[in-house]
Amino acid sequence: MFTAVRGASRREDIAIRSQARLLRMEKLKMASLLGENPGFDFLQQCCHDDPALQIVIKKLVAKFPQWGIAIVNGVLLKWNAKVK
């Protein structure tokens, strides 16, 4: 009986993470289409919570260097971009 409850909880955790990934991916897609920075904190949270999204974020910050964000050795960093 304990195993069934434990298993159900794990399935719920997986479902929650899956839903979170879909919502985050949607926000990242919109940022890519509109060129609007979703925010450093959001990007950092995505990188730390979901390594699969790190690839998407790496491409996104490369596409928009004017945001002043980069990934170096797997770490998301802010930097001052001087775009002329």
Side-chain angles (χ1 to χ4, degrees), residues 40-54:
F40 181 79
D41 293 334
F42 173 77
L43 294 173
Q44 190 172 37
Q45 184 181 25
C46 290
C47 280
H48 288 293
D49 291 347
D50 194 341
L53 291 180
Q54 196 174 60

Side-chain angles (χ1 to χ4, degrees), residues 57-73:
I57 294 168
K58 185 183 286 188
K59 291 177 182 180
L60 194 59
V61 297
K63 184 176 179 180
F64 299 103
Q66 65 271 24
W67 291 354
I69 300 172
I71 294 182
V72 179
N73 295 330

Side-chain angles (χ1 to χ4, degrees), residues 13-83:
D13 289 346
I14 291 170
I16 290 169
R17 282 185 165 272
S18 178
Q19 185 65 28
R21 178 181 281 171
L22 290 173
L23 294 172
R24 288 174 172 171
M25 188 59 118
E26 186 65 29
K27 188 169 182 174
L28 293 171
K29 284 180 185 178
M30 290 303 294
S32 179
L33 291 172
L34 301 175
E36 293 180 3
N37 186 344
F40 181 79
D41 293 334
F42 173 77
L43 294 173
Q44 190 172 37
Q45 184 181 25
C46 290
C47 280
H48 288 293
D49 291 347
D50 194 341
L53 291 180
Q54 196 174 60
I55 296 167
V56 175
I57 294 168
K58 185 183 286 188
K59 291 177 182 180
L60 194 59
V61 297
K63 184 176 179 180
F64 299 103
Q66 65 271 24
W67 291 354
I69 300 172
I71 294 182
V72 179
N73 295 330
V75 178
L76 197 68
L77 301 171
K78 285 185 183 181
W79 57 282
N80 292 330
K82 294 184 179 180
V83 180

